[in-house]
Amino acid sequence: WRILKRYCMKSIIVESAITNHYPLNSCIMNSLRSLLVIVALFISMLACQHAIDKKMLLGEWKGAQWLIEGQTADYDATSTFFSFQDDGTYTYRYTDMEEKGKYFVSRDELITTPDGGIKMMVRIEKLTSDSLVMNMNRGGTSETLTLVR
C-alpha cells in the first residue's frame, strides 16, 4: 500500500501541475481493479486444483517404488497391490496382509476406510493411465508410493 500511495501521490503532483485535476481516485481504482484481477486468478487456480478422474483410478495397481523422506524404503514396493472397483470398494495387499474397505476421491485426495477401521487420506500426486503416485504422511514422516498397472 505504501508503494501504491507513493505512486498515486507522485501521479497527483505531476498531473495536478499539468492539468489541474487530481487523479487519486482513478489511480486507486486502477490499482484495486488490478488487485481484484490477481485475487480472482489466484482463487480460480485454487478452485481448479487438478481433480482426479475416478475412472482412471479403477483397476489393478502394483507397487514399483516406495520412498520415505525421499530415500528408498525398507518396504518391498513390489509386494504392494491395490485394486479399486467402480462400486467404491478397494482391496489392498502387502505381502500376506490384506485390507478391504470403501474409498472415495475428493479433488486430489484418496480417502479410504478399511472395514472396521478409521478413515485415512493420501494425496494423489500423479495419476496417468499406467502410473499412480501417492503421497502419505505416517506420524510426520513423508512417504511416496509409486504404483503401476
Side-chain angles (χ1 to χ4, degrees):
W1 287 107
R2 288 181 185 165
I3 293 170
L4 173 64
K5 184 177 176 183
R6 189 175 309 141
Y7 170 76
C8 289
M9 293 308 289
K10 284 181 183 177
S11 181
I12 288 173
I13 294 168
V14 170
E15 286 196 33
S16 63
I18 296 171
T19 62
N20 244 359
H21 80 289
Y22 299 95
L24 180 61
N25 287 342
S26 136
C27 180
I28 290 174
M29 290 305 291
N30 286 338
S31 296
L32 286 176
R33 190 174 301 127
S34 297
L35 181 63
L36 285 174
V37 167
I38 291 169
V39 168
L41 287 172
F42 180 73
I43 289 172
S44 67
M45 285 182 355
L46 284 178
C48 294
Q49 281 182 340
H50 70 295
I52 299 300
D53 181 2
K54 179 183 169 185
K55 291 185 187 333
M56 288 183 66
L57 188 63
L58 299 178
E60 305 289 324
W61 297 92
K62 180 179 179 170
Q65 183 181 47
W66 200 322
L67 301 175
I68 298 178
E69 298 290 338
Q71 304 296 317
T72 302
D74 289 336
Y75 302 120
D76 180 12
T78 61
S79 296
T80 306
F81 299 91
F82 276 91
S83 175
F84 297 98
Q85 306 304 315
D86 196 29
D87 65 356
T89 60
Y90 76 96
T91 302
Y92 161 69
R93 286 190 325 272
Y94 179 71
T95 60
D96 61 347
M97 183 198 76
E98 183 174 274
E99 170 183 294
K100 293 184 179 214
K102 299 205 177 293
Y103 78 94
F104 67 94
V105 175
S106 176
R107 289 194 190 146
D108 63 343
E109 297 175 345
L110 171 64
I111 295 94
T112 58
T113 307
D115 294 340
I118 60 170
K119 192 181 294 185
M120 296 177 282
M121 184 276 295
V122 297
R123 189 161 314 281
I124 298 174
E125 180 180 309
K126 177 183 171 187
L127 176 60
T128 65
S129 61
D130 62 353
S131 66
L132 168 60
V133 179
M134 299 188 292
N135 288 328
M136 304 169 277
N137 186 327
R138 191 187 318 233
T141 302
S142 171
E143 297 185 26
T144 302
L145 177 60
T146 301
L147 302 144
V148 294
R149 292 219 190 253

